[in-house]
Structures are given as C-alpha cells and as structure tokens.
Amino acid sequence: MEPNIEKLKQQINPNTLRVPEGYFDALEASIKDRLNTEATADLVKHNKPTIIRKLIIVTAIAATVTAIFLSVNLFLQNRTNNVLNIALANMSDNDLDAFMNTQLAALSPDDIYGYLNENIGQVNAVEILNNSFSGNEQIDASITDNLQEQVLDTDVLKAVMQSDEGSTEGKLLESVDEELLEEYFNNAMLFDHLGL
Amino acid sequence: MGLYFEGRFATCRLMTDIEIVQLCLNQDTRELGYKHLVAAYTKKIYWHVRRMVTNHDDADDVVQNCFIKIWKGLPQFRQESKLYTWIYRIASNEAITFINEKYRRSSIALEGGEYAYSALLADDPWFDGDDTQKQLQFAIDTLPDKQKQVFVMRYFDELTYEEIAAIVGTSVGALKASYHHAAKKIESFFAAGLNRT
C-alpha cells in the first residue's frame, strides 16, 4: 500500500533541517554587509573607465583637436587673399579700370618701385618701371615749363636780341637760372643712366 | 509582518506589509523599510529556499542573493501584487536558477541515484533526518523545477492555491494538477522503495 503523502508529513521530524545557532541574526548583518560591498563596487565600476573606454575617449579628443587645428589652419590660409580677390572679382570692368587708375595714379614712382621690388622678387623692377612710362616727356615736362617761363621773360629776351647773333645760344643759356639749369641737366643724366 | 519598536518606552507592535511597503517606496525611509522587510521575511524565505535546495550553505547563498535583488528591485515595485507574493516569486526563481546551475556544473546528485544522494545528505551537518526523510528529500529533488516549486510551497509552506497562483503566475486549476502529479510521483517513489526493502 502506498504511503499517503499527507500522513508522511505527520511522521516527518519537523526539525530535520537545522541551522547554525544565531544564524538568522547573522544573516541580516551579512545581507547588510553585502549590500554595502556591492554599492561600493558599483560606484567604483561606474567611476573608473575601462581600458576600452579610455582608448575611445583619447581617440575622440585627438580627432577633435586635429579637426579644429586643420579647420583653423585652412581658414587662415585663404583668408588674406580671399577678401581682396573676391572684391575685385565682383567688380565690373569699368569699375575695375576706375579703381586701377585711381589707386595707381596716387602712387609715386618710388612707391611703385618699392612695391614691385618687394612683392615680385626676381623680376627687374626697374625695367617694369621704365616700361610703365611712354617717354621722358612726363618727367621733364615740368622742368621745361619752368625754362620756357624764364626764356620768355622780356628782359631776358631783350638782352638776347640786342646781343651778337652768333652767340645767341650761349647768351641764352647764360640768362637761364643756374639752379634750374643744373636740375635740368641732372635729370637728363638720370635718363641717360636709365637708358632712355 | 515584522516587529517594530517605537517610542521611548519601546512598545512593540507588528508592522504590516502595507506599512513596510510605504516605508520602502519612500526614498527617505527606504532603508528603514528594508530593515523591517528583512526582519519580517528572512526566516520564511530561508526555509522556502532550504526546502528546494536542501543544503544549508546553498540556501544561505540563495537567500542573500534574493534579498540583494529585493533591495535593487524596490524602486520598481509597483504594488501590482502583495509584498510577500513579490518576495516569494523572487526567492523561488533564485532557487530554481541556483539548482539548474549547480546541477549543470555537477551531476553528483544524479549519478548513483538515490544512494549517492542519501550519502550526500548523511555528510551534511545540518540535516538530521532519518532514511525516510532522506528519501523524501531525494524524491523532491527529482521533480521538475515548477512541480518542485509548487510542491514545496503547498506541502511545506502550506500556502493556499490562490497564493501560489499569484506567485508563480499559473491558474489555480493548473496548480492543483501540478501538485497532484508531484504527490503521486513521490508516493510511487516510496512504494518502489518499500518494494526494494
């Protein structure tokens, strides 16, 4: 006859399974200690990045710094030329001609020479300067104007008319202001040196 | 329920599960509530787990794991079930998980059958049972996990089918059938044992 399981329960010693003395009091303390240990471990785990996380962070920082550096470098490289280039490219031909005439006309030959010598380098700045002028009329025009005024002076002319015709030229030259004449000949020498 | 001492005259009163839950759900009083929860349920949970895993040291590990999970799960406890239902569910699942992992690593309890298991219990300093009790414990261990869970809660913890249904999430009818099958297996085991003697 099979034993009834409920009757079996009545036969079983209820103290079959034992526990150490004071176990349940110690159990509560053990649970509390384990909670504190796990909380500390979780805190350390979250605060301390793993090696992979460190590598990712370092790589990200390096990539960001490199990108910023390259961007700034590229921006500054094009900036100095871009502003003027863009302004000139957007000008119409008429405006550009007027701009060139105004700006260049305001420059003295020394300014132009200095700019060419500094920025163009090996190119013969003198040659360019010389080719910029159509002839020597522009330079000595002001000087001859002064001479003409002196030559046309009536006193000087009368003196020349009354003198010997053979020495007209010599007397004419003697009547001209010496300082002005010296300046004229100096400039003539200059053009001679320049090959004009 | 757990014992709660309050006031300068240290009057003792039993704290209900509702009061414990209210303390636990409030972040400021969670530690106090958890302390009362542990005091109220430590023994119940221990014996429930002990019946399932048999060995005292194993039960100690499982119970500690269980209460750690309870602490971590308290913020998410939505009171959709009673407190003891929630706690029992955690304890049962922890015990089943432990048993499966233990028997996956070691087949001592299975190899050699009943006599090897009986020898194992004989070496256990915290087991004082006679041969009948050893056989009963071995028979329970041969049950499938769910049947073992239902059998222990009904046979040893003496929970109602409604309470067990709330814990395991199975219908009362299915539980009655499960318990009936488990009881029959154990009775047959003893019958076979009697025939061996």
Side-chain angles (χ1 to χ4, degrees):
Chain A
M1 184 178 176
E2 296 177 356
N4 187 298
I5 196 161
E6 296 301 326
K7 286 183 181 177
L8 187 65
K9 186 175 171 182
Q10 294 168 6
Q11 296 168 6
I12 291 174
N13 184 354
N15 297 322
T16 301
L17 302 176
R18 297 191 301 110
V19 293
E21 191 173 343
Y23 167 71
F24 289 108
D25 295 330
L27 178 60
E28 291 184 32
S30 298
I31 293 170
K32 186 180 175 184
D33 290 341
R34 195 163 158 186
L35 276 173
N36 290 337
T37 304
E38 288 207 8
T40 306
D42 285 345
L43 194 66
V44 171
K45 184 181 175 184
H46 286 126
N47 288 341
K48 182 179 177 183
T50 61
I51 293 175
I52 293 175
R53 281 185 69 187
K54 283 181 184 174
L55 280 174
I56 292 171
I57 291 169
V58 168
T59 306
I61 292 172
T64 306
V65 169
T66 304
I68 292 172
F69 175 76
L70 288 175
S71 301
V72 170
N73 202 20
L74 197 64
F75 178 74
L76 289 177
Q77 249 183 4
N78 293 331
R79 185 173 175 78
T80 53
N81 294 330
N82 273 349
V83 176
L84 181 60
N85 291 344
I86 292 171
L88 292 177
N90 290 333
M91 278 185 174
S92 67
D93 291 343
N94 292 334
D95 290 338
L96 189 59
D97 288 340
F99 172 78
M100 297 297 283
N101 291 334
T102 306
Q103 296 300 320
L104 291 180
L107 294 174
S108 66
D110 287 339
D111 291 337
I112 296 174
Y113 178 85
Y115 176 82
L116 292 174
N117 197 30
E118 182 179 347
N119 292 284
I120 297 178
Q122 294 181 355
V123 179
N124 190 337
V126 172
E127 189 170 344
I128 292 177
L129 181 66
N130 296 337
N131 291 333
S132 300
F133 295 92
S134 57
N136 55 2
E137 291 88 1
Q138 289 175 315
I139 296 178
D140 64 356
S142 60
I143 300 171
T144 52
D145 285 343
N146 280 331
L147 284 174
Q148 285 177 357
E149 285 176 7
Q150 292 208 16
V151 168
L152 291 175
D153 186 84
T154 50
D155 293 336
V156 174
L157 189 61
K158 282 182 181 177
V160 170
M161 294 299 289
Q162 291 170 4
S163 64
D164 185 3
E165 291 184 0
S167 61
T168 303
E169 187 178 4
K171 286 188 185 288
L172 185 65
L173 289 173
E174 286 174 4
S175 67
V176 176
D177 182 35
E178 286 184 5
E179 190 176 339
L180 187 63
L181 195 60
E182 184 179 6
E183 185 182 354
Y184 179 82
F185 281 115
N186 286 340
N187 283 308
M189 292 294 286
L190 171 66
F191 287 112
D192 191 39
H193 286 310
L194 293 177
L196 294 175
Chain B
M1 291 189 292
L3 294 178
Y4 175 57
F5 293 90
E6 63 179 357
R8 61 183 295 186
F9 299 106
T11 55
C12 172
R13 72 174 181 88
L14 296 175
M15 182 174 281
T16 63
D17 280 355
I18 295 174
E19 289 171 321
I20 292 175
V21 168
Q22 284 174 352
L23 287 175
C24 289
L25 292 179
N26 186 344
Q27 197 167 356
D28 296 330
T29 58
R30 183 169 296 156
E31 285 194 25
L32 179 62
Y34 182 73
K35 188 179 175 182
H36 288 291
L37 185 152
V38 171
Y41 283 98
T42 305
K43 286 185 181 176
K44 285 183 187 176
I45 297 303
Y46 171 83
W47 288 118
H48 171 70
V49 170
R50 179 76 185 269
R51 293 289 180 192
M52 293 187 70
V53 303
T54 311
N55 181 270
H56 163 71
D57 292 329
D58 294 341
D60 182 46
D61 286 340
V62 173
V63 168
Q64 290 196 35
N65 292 339
C66 174
F67 278 100
I68 298 295
K69 280 200 172 180
I70 290 171
W71 169 255
K72 289 181 179 180
L74 273 173
Q76 287 83 34
F77 179 58
R78 291 186 291 273
Q79 302 186 73
E80 294 171 350
S81 59
K82 292 181 180 178
L83 181 64
Y84 81 87
T85 304
W86 182 62
I87 292 174
Y88 258 91
R89 188 183 303 140
I90 293 174
S92 291
N93 291 338
E94 277 296 303
I96 291 173
T97 303
F98 177 86
I99 291 167
N100 290 336
E101 285 185 6
K102 181 177 181 180
Y103 288 124
R104 195 179 307 125
R105 289 192 303 265
S106 167
S107 58
I108 293 175
L110 299 177
E111 291 178 359
E114 173 193 344
Y115 300 105
Y117 188 81
S118 179
L120 199 68
L121 286 179
D123 293 336
D124 189 345
W126 308 111
F127 185 82
D128 283 341
D130 56 13
D131 288 341
T132 304
Q133 288 157 339
K134 288 178 187 175
Q135 288 177 16
L136 175 61
Q137 202 61 51
F138 179 72
I140 293 171
D141 272 347
T142 61
L143 295 173
D145 294 339
K146 286 294 182 183
Q147 272 190 14
K148 182 191 297 184
Q149 186 181 25
V150 173
F151 184 84
V152 167
M153 282 193 280
R154 178 67 181 159
Y155 190 79
F156 293 106
D157 298 336
E158 297 182 343
L159 298 178
T160 65
Y161 283 114
E162 288 72 21
E163 289 171 334
I164 298 173
I167 292 168
V168 301
T170 310
S171 66
V172 171
L175 288 174
K176 287 182 178 177
S178 182
Y179 178 76
H180 176 77
H181 286 303
K184 284 298 177 191
K185 279 185 187 177
I186 293 172
E187 287 174 357
S188 299
F189 177 85
F190 274 98
L194 287 172
N195 289 334
R196 285 193 299 270
T197 58

